[in-house]
Each structure stands twice: as C-alpha cells, then as structure tokens.
Amino acid sequence: MNATDDGKRYLTFALTKGRLAKKTLELLEKVGITCEEMKDPDSRKLIFVNEELGLKFFLAKGPDVPTYVEYGAADIGVVGKDTLVEEGRKMYEVLDLGFGKCRMCVCGPESAREKLAHQEQIRVATKYPDIAKDYFYNQKHQTVEIIKLNGSIELAPIVGLSDVIVDIVETGSTLRENGLGVLEEVMPLSARMVVNQVSMKMESERITKLIQDLRAAL
C-alpha cells in the first residue's frame, strides 16, 4: 500500500546499511523524523514505517541504493559519493550530509610515484573502475590498464598484480602498515542525499522542506 490512512503518499527512504544509516537516522531525528522500529537490533523486518509522518525506510547495500532511487522504488536515498559516481545513475544529488568523509586516492609504493609523474603505462587495481578510468583517461590523459578487484585492494601492488591502486582512504593506516602511501588524490568523498527525478516533481513541497530542514540541522 502506497498511501497513508489520510490518503497521503508515503515517502520512501533507501539508506546504506551500516554507519551511514546510523548517522542518517541521527540527523533525521534532529529534524523530528524518527523510526523507532529501526532501532530494534533483533528486528527481521525489511521495511520500517512511520505512519504518522507517512514515511517508509529500508536498508540496502551501498551500490544498490542509487538503483532503487533511479527506478522510483525509493524517493530518497543516502549513499556515499563514491558509489554515486561509480554507479552513474540518473537522479538529483541534493545535499552533502558531511559525514562519512574520506578520499578516493591513487595509492601505491613510493617507487610508483615516478611512473605516475612520467605518464607511463601502468596497471591500476580498484573496486571502482569507472572512477579510475575517468581520472586517468579524462583528467590525467594517462593510458592505464584497469583491473577490477572486489576486496583487499592493498594486496594488488604487494603481490605484483598492479603498480598502484585506486581506493578509499580514511586514515591511511592500512596503507602504511603495508608499505604503501597516498600518491595522488582523486576526489573528496562524503555521504550524499539523492532524490528520484519524478518524486522531486510530484512531492516537491515535502521533499524541498525536508532538504531545507536537514540543511539547517547540519
């Protein structure tokens, strides 16, 4: 059912599981939006509802949030900028929420710095092939071979699979422990609020007010 008892359409939020969802719910509480059901760690529910405000919430893996929003299964999403850029979905990015801050960087051993400086053809391992491609081809105009990996990206230069990696860096401690460092910064990252393009037109008043309230609370 997509309407509340008084006929108001539900607004549906897709939140990225984990830290981002927790931070988002804390921020929403500041503007009077709560979802008590979501606080139950033992709940097996997939969709949580605040009947009074006509809101629904569900949790999804980061890369799936933009998909739910683009196709209108969710009106609003909260997701990392890295995922937004990598997924390249059509939607409105309306607010930088300021948490989940980190950087997308080119990292590797110090010996790889020369190769980057001299535009040599190198191998790049990453979970983010589209971001890496855009950075090397369109911004640096450097020819690279991009290798997509799904985990433990730091391993790639250590075992000789790649010269460098493109990955998210928060503190850099994992890099340092493995004899790697940040060589170049690709882009700053943080959590963003996104809105479905049709929802923005149909529910313009409610969504605009929500954006303004959240902006004031940041």
Side-chain angles (χ1 to χ4, degrees):
M1 200 168 86
N2 282 326
T4 58
D5 294 340
D6 59 4
K8 191 163 65 170
R9 184 176 162 278
Y10 282 107
L11 277 186
T12 301
F13 287 77
L15 306 181
T16 300
K17 281 179 181 172
R19 272 190 307 179
L20 287 193
K22 189 170 176 289
K23 289 276 194 189
T24 305
L25 291 169
E26 285 169 9
L27 178 62
L28 288 170
E29 285 197 352
K30 285 186 187 173
V31 298
I33 294 173
T34 55
C35 190
E36 292 304 319
E37 289 186 320
M38 290 189 89
K39 291 180 181 173
D40 177 4
D42 301 321
S43 176
R44 292 198 173 286
K45 281 188 172 182
L46 293 174
I47 295 180
F48 304 90
V49 184
N50 179 322
E51 291 290 354
E52 192 189 341
L53 296 172
L55 302 173
K56 288 183 180 179
F57 301 84
F58 64 85
L59 298 171
K61 277 198 162 180
D64 293 337
V65 169
T67 309
Y68 284 114
V69 175
E70 184 184 37
Y71 284 94
D75 301 290
I76 297 166
V78 172
V79 68
K81 178 69 173 173
D82 51 301
T83 305
L84 273 187
V85 179
E86 187 63 30
E87 292 297 314
R89 300 272 175 190
K90 290 187 175 70
M91 63 193 71
Y92 297 125
E93 183 187 319
V94 295
L95 202 54
D96 180 348
L97 298 172
F99 49 77
K101 278 190 176 174
C102 46
R103 301 174 294 157
M104 184 70 73
C105 297
V106 179
C107 312
E110 192 55 38
S111 58
R113 200 180 285 278
E114 284 292 293
K115 292 178 180 175
L116 289 169
H118 295 134
Q119 304 273 314
E120 287 181 41
Q121 180 155 1
I122 54 172
R123 277 184 172 173
V124 180
T126 185
K127 284 182 201 171
Y128 303 94
D130 284 353
I131 291 175
K133 235 175 256 175
D134 179 65
Y135 178 70
F136 281 104
Y137 293 165
N138 301 332
Q139 295 180 49
K140 289 200 73 187
H141 308 294
Q142 183 169 3
T143 308
V144 295
E145 183 183 349
I146 290 170
I147 302 164
K148 185 175 188 321
L149 290 178
N150 295 299
S152 301
I153 306 294
E154 297 86 2
L155 196 57
I158 295 166
V159 298
L161 175 64
S162 70
D163 297 289
V164 295
I165 60 174
V166 169
D167 204 18
I168 291 174
V169 177
E170 282 187 57
T171 62
S173 55
T174 310
L175 292 172
R176 286 191 295 276
E177 282 165 18
N178 291 291
L180 308 173
V182 171
L183 303 174
E184 294 176 352
E185 185 171 323
V186 178
M187 64 173 78
L189 304 170
S190 57
R192 308 296 162 103
M193 184 167 147
V194 292
V195 178
N196 171 272
Q197 292 180 336
V198 176
S199 304
M200 197 66 175
K201 292 187 183 77
M202 305 283 285
E203 294 289 340
S204 171
E205 203 175 311
R206 283 171 82 192
I207 293 174
T208 303
K209 184 182 183 316
L210 174 64
I211 295 166
Q212 287 168 347
D213 289 351
L214 288 171
R215 187 175 283 130
L218 287 173

